[in-house]
């Protein structure tokens, strides 16, 4: 993991994903998340990983390299967590935030959500369309 400069992604639709690299369920979802990056990158989308972990940086960095994650990923330090609403907003792992091209959060997803839901919301955000109200 390294430092991610969000200015590099200005004007792009981003899915900021708070995850743990040592979590089996997160690891099991990497293929789906990698597929979203591959499918939508050419349209102005990027997935950005924020690892929520207290283990030593070198341990987490080695896992990221071993997992061959093809999108930027860094450590979610306290200022990053606070920027997304603090621990109360990121109470589940994974938690993701879909950010529109305008830089505003369009949707928060706590826990695992169906891949098709993410795909549909990403398409709407890429097209500049409002997202529908979330289903209860």
């Amino acid at each position: 993991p390294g430092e991610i400069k969000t200015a590099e992604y200005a004007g792009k639709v981003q899915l900021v994903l708070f995850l743990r690299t040592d979590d089996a369920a997160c690891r099991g979802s990497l293929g789906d998340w990698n597929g979203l990056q591959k499918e939508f990158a050419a349209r102005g989308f990027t997935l950005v990983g924020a690892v929520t972990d207290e283990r030593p940086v070198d341990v987490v960095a080695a896992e990221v390299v071993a997992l061959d994650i093809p999108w930027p990923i860094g450590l979610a330090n306290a200022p990053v967590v606070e920027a997304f609403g603090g621990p109360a907003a990121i109470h589940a792992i994974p938690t993701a935030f879909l950010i529109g091209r305008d830089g505003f959060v369009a949707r928060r997803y706590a826990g695992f959500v169906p891949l098709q839901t993410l795909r549909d919301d990403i398409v709407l955000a890429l097209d500049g369309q409002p997202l529908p109200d979330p289903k209860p």
Side-chain angles (χ1 to χ4, degrees), residues 64-104:
V64 169
V65 170
L67 292 169
D68 195 28
I69 297 171
W71 24 274
I73 189 164
L75 289 174
N77 58 19
V80 171
V81 171
E82 286 303 318
F84 284 90
I90 307 169
H91 63 276
I93 295 297
T95 291
F97 296 85
L98 184 62
I99 300 173
R101 293 184 191 275
D102 60 4
F104 290 97

Side-chain angles (χ1 to χ4, degrees), residues 5-25:
K5 298 187 185 311
T6 56
E8 294 176 17
Y9 306 107
K12 288 190 175 194
V13 171
Q14 303 169 53
L15 185 67
V16 178
L17 178 65
F18 289 82
L19 73 153
R20 285 190 60 110
T21 55
D22 64 341
D23 178 75

Side-chain angles (χ1 to χ4, degrees), residues 29-93:
S29 293
L30 284 174
D32 289 342
W33 296 331
N34 294 348
L36 291 172
Q37 176 66 28
K38 184 177 181 181
E39 182 177 355
F40 296 115
R43 291 190 57 199
F45 169 80
T46 191
L47 203 148
V48 178
V51 177
T52 56
D53 204 321
E54 290 78 36
R55 294 178 300 148
V57 172
D58 59 333
V59 171
V60 177
E63 284 180 352
V64 169
V65 170
L67 292 169
D68 195 28
I69 297 171
W71 24 274
I73 189 164
L75 289 174
N77 58 19
V80 171
V81 171
E82 286 303 318
F84 284 90
I90 307 169
H91 63 276
I93 295 297

